Amino acid sequence: MSYGEALEIQSKIASERKQGRGVDHLLFVEHPHVITIGRNGHVENLLAPEETLRRAGIELYESDRGGDVTYHGPGQIVAYPIMDLREWKRDVGAFVRAIEQVLIDTLADFGIEAERIAGLTGVWTHQAKIAAIGVHLSRWVSTHGLALNVSTDLQYFQYIVPCGLAKPVTSMTALGVHADTEDVKSALIRHFGQIFDYEMQREIVGII
């Protein structure tokens, strides 16, 4: 699903949650090639002009999420937690650290030892970034979320300085772990429920 279409679905669910209606969601999506610039983004971290990106089949979006520049594409699991943090903790830092822990626990299920790096957001393994996190909060309701590189073609990161950091990126496949995407999603769902104390239920949100 395109980034724009997924954004519309997020906005609809977030609007309901702000009004105290509906339930929290963890949305999963795989985007076609797209580069997004967060609200703290720096244009200099985009290493190619928009015309070059278009020729490479890459969309460019400005986003209201936190963070700098990032890439989404095939082989990458993108998950958007749409949550009312008034019903969890009114603590943005704790929210981001909890998402990191979900990713660390998920990767451990597949034999990958991942960690945090002090002062940086995301999840790392052997000093290379394997998962990025960028969230937005409005009236304590979250949108945007995480991106985990499963079998992502890492060559597409050549067009950016990922998250504004001159550090390498990696994927589960690059680390020698050839995991089925659905198995990784199932692990993410299980650990998300454990960390955030949810009873997880699957549903098809639909395509706008």
Side-chain angles (χ1 to χ4, degrees):
M1 180 185 289
S2 74
Y3 189 80
E5 288 176 314
L7 199 57
E8 287 186 47
I9 292 176
Q10 289 186 72
S11 297
K12 180 175 180 293
I13 296 171
S15 178
E16 291 178 350
R17 297 304 290 132
K18 288 175 190 177
Q19 297 169 43
R21 298 188 290 112
V23 296
D24 291 341
H25 281 70
L26 179 63
L27 305 178
F28 284 101
V29 64
E30 186 177 52
H31 291 307
H33 303 295
V34 61
I35 288 171
T36 68
I37 304 174
R39 63 180 182 272
N40 303 318
H42 300 278
V43 176
E44 59 267 29
N45 290 326
L46 192 62
L47 302 180
E50 194 167 352
E51 178 56 34
T52 300
L53 299 178
R54 269 199 300 270
R55 286 200 301 269
I58 304 170
E59 276 194 289
L60 182 64
Y61 256 93
E62 290 190 13
S63 172
D64 64 355
R65 63 164 173 78
D68 207 301
V69 178
T70 195
Y71 160 81
H72 298 310
Q76 184 187 68
I77 293 176
V78 177
Y80 297 129
I82 316 299
M83 293 172 53
D84 186 346
L85 297 192
R86 292 170 298 187
E87 298 181 6
W88 184 68
K89 295 177 185 175
R90 297 188 188 214
D91 187 327
V92 181
F95 179 54
V96 172
R97 299 291 86 76
I99 293 174
E100 289 172 342
Q101 194 61 51
V102 169
L103 286 159
I104 290 167
D105 293 348
T106 295
L107 289 164
D109 286 353
F110 295 88
I112 296 173
E113 185 177 342
E115 62 183 2
R116 298 177 179 88
I117 293 181
L120 301 178
T121 299
V123 173
W124 309 74
T125 179
H126 305 300
Q127 296 295 304
K129 196 167 195 175
I130 194 168
I133 297 170
V135 299
H136 174 74
L137 290 180
S138 173
R139 287 158 49 188
W140 290 106
V141 173
S142 66
T143 49
H144 302 287
L146 65 94
L148 173 61
N149 297 327
V150 180
S151 58
T152 317
D153 184 347
L154 301 178
Q155 290 189 14
Y156 281 89
F157 286 94
Q158 70 180 297
Y159 297 105
I160 64 172
V161 179
C163 303
L165 301 171
K167 285 181 175 290
V169 292
T170 191
S171 68
M172 295 177 72
T173 297
L175 295 171
V177 177
H178 300 277
D180 182 85
T181 301
E182 291 304 314
D183 290 341
V184 180
K185 285 182 188 175
S186 293
L188 281 166
I189 290 167
R190 184 173 67 256
H191 289 296
F192 194 89
Q194 290 170 349
I195 295 291
F196 287 99
D197 195 26
Y198 279 116
E199 180 183 343
M200 307 298 285
Q201 296 181 340
R202 285 180 179 265
E203 67 175 90
I204 303 298
V205 172
I207 299 176
I208 295 174

